[in-house]
């Protein structure tokens, strides 16, 4: 695996490393190198050498630095002498880091990854209001307009319950992991909210169309075998009740990724990211009766959680409140 050095002025490297872990999960063979106000070039060089010595593969190293020509860049350049397989990319941003993490799954060289992350890093630089940005792409498709015209049905690459719907962990980690062509938010509530629909469309990663459809519409789309051939769909639900309605209506979901269910009054929280009331527990039990399996992970790199155990603990906590 290609090793990654994140090198910046100040504590930026530590912060973006933490942010990357929140979205994509903890990573091996990655190190943050900081240049603090009291330090000089040799301190940075020493930190880089120590970090590289800890990597499993020291022949393939990628440096992600903040500024071209800055001290972290200059020290990385000096270390590259005699290492023609290493590479440096400057202009570090979170999109670049996440793309580098994802690229390591399919790319074996630092040069490949360095060339690949440039596009994602540049596309991440946008402005709002949109009229301040030069138009370079066609407007986003209208929500619900997912017809492609090719015979066949959707291939469902992921169906996820996430109160936050389309956010960083989905737009980067899960999208890179599952490679959908369409992200479809399935929600009656969101389908009626024009602002939320617009924000979801804007949050879609490059190359992937985002749509918002009501549950009834998703059931119709799932039964259509004439227009969606070759389309890989990632479905997002706010809650298990919407999933159950979709499954009952005929949307063929074998596995549900349970990623995030926010806490609210009357709910118990048996782990850090999932909160349940009695209706939630009963709904998951009904989904299980339909043969649906549960993939309990916040990000792809997480270990799988045991849904039966989580539901038992949630039920026990609710019973105590009675």
């Amino acid at each position: 695996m290609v090793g990654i050095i994140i090198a910046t002025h100040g504590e930026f490297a530590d912060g973006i490393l933490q942010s990357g872990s929140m979205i994509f999960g903890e990573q091996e063979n990655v190190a943050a190198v900081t240049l603090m106000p009291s330090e000089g070039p040799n301190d940075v060089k020493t930190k880089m050498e120590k970090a590289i010595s800890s990597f499993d593969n020291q022949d393939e190293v990628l440096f992600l630095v903040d500024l071209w020509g800055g001290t972290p860049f200059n020290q990385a350049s000096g270390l590259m002498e005699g290492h023609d397989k290493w590479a440096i990319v400057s202009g570090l941003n979170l999109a670049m880091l996440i793309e580098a993490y994802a690229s390591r799954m399919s790319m074996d060289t630092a040069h490949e990854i360095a060339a690949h992350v440039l596009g994602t890093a540049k596309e991440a630089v946008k402005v709002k209001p949109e009229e301040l940005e030069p138009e370079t792409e066609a407007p986003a498709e209208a929500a619900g307009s997912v017809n492609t015209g090719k015979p066949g049905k959707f291939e469902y690459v992921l169906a996820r319950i996430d109160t936050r719907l389309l956010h960083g962990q989905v737009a980067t980690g899960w999208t890179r992991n599952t490679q959908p062509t369409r992200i479809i938010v399935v929600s009656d509530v969101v389908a009626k909210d024009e602002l939320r629909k617009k924000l979801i469309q804007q949050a879609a990663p490059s190359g992937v169309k985002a749509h918002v459809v009501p549950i009834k519409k998703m059931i119709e789309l799932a039964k259509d075998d004439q227009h969606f051939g070759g389309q890989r769909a990632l479905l997002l639900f706010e809650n298990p009740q919407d999933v159950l309605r979709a499954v009952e209506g005929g949307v063929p979901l074998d596995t549900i990724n349970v990623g995030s269910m926010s806490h609210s009054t009357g709910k118990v929280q048996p782990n850090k990211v999932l909160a349940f009331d009695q209706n939630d527990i009963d709904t998951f039990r009904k989904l299980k009766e339909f043969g649906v399996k549960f993939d309990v992970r916040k990000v792809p790199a997480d270990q799988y959680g045991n849904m039966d155990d989580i539901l038992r603990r949630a039920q026990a906590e609710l019973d105590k409140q009675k």
Side-chain angles (χ1 to χ4, degrees), residues 47 67 82 84 87 99 138 162 206 211 218 232 234 279 281 287 314:
K47 291 179 184 180
L67 291 174
D84 55 3
E99 189 66 28
D162 193 326
S206 177
H211 313 271
M218 188 64 235
R232 296 165 57 83
L234 188 161
N279 187 22
I281 294 174
L287 284 168

Side-chain angles (χ1 to χ4, degrees), residues 276-294:
F276 304 83
D277 58 21
Q278 192 62 57
N279 187 22
D280 295 326
I281 294 174
D282 293 342
T283 301
F284 277 112
R285 288 171 176 165
K286 290 178 183 178
L287 284 168
K288 189 174 181 179
E289 291 174 1
F290 273 93
V292 175
K293 299 179 179 64
F294 304 115

Side-chain angles (χ1 to χ4, degrees), residues 4-34:
I4 298 176
I5 298 288
I6 305 168
T8 69
H9 296 76
E11 297 179 351
F12 177 28
D14 289 331
I16 200 169
L17 176 63
Q18 182 186 62
S19 298
S21 298
M22 289 174 62
I23 293 175
F24 209 83
E26 296 295 332
Q27 298 289 305
E28 297 180 349
N29 296 299
V30 178
V33 172
T34 59

Side-chain angles (χ1 to χ4, degrees), residues 257-310:
N257 169 239
V258 187
S260 173
M261 293 174 57
S262 64
H263 187 272
S264 61
T265 303
K267 293 198 174 191
V268 296
Q269 194 164 351
N271 72 8
K272 293 181 179 179
V273 295
L274 301 179
F276 304 83
D277 58 21
Q278 192 62 57
N279 187 22
D280 295 326
I281 294 174
D282 293 342
T283 301
F284 277 112
R285 288 171 176 165
K286 290 178 183 178
L287 284 168
K288 189 174 181 179
E289 291 174 1
F290 273 93
V292 175
K293 299 179 179 64
F294 304 115
D295 167 12
V296 185
R297 286 183 294 166
K298 185 172 65 172
V299 295
D302 283 349
Q303 294 184 341
Y304 291 86
N306 186 315
M307 193 62 175
D308 289 336
D309 180 59
I310 292 171

Side-chain angles (χ1 to χ4, degrees), residues 188 214-216 219 240-251 283 287:
D188 291 349
I215 298 168
K216 183 179 179 181
I219 293 170
Q241 290 77 23
D242 286 353
V243 178
L244 180 60
R245 286 180 57 198
V247 171
E248 289 175 331
V251 181
T283 301
L287 284 168

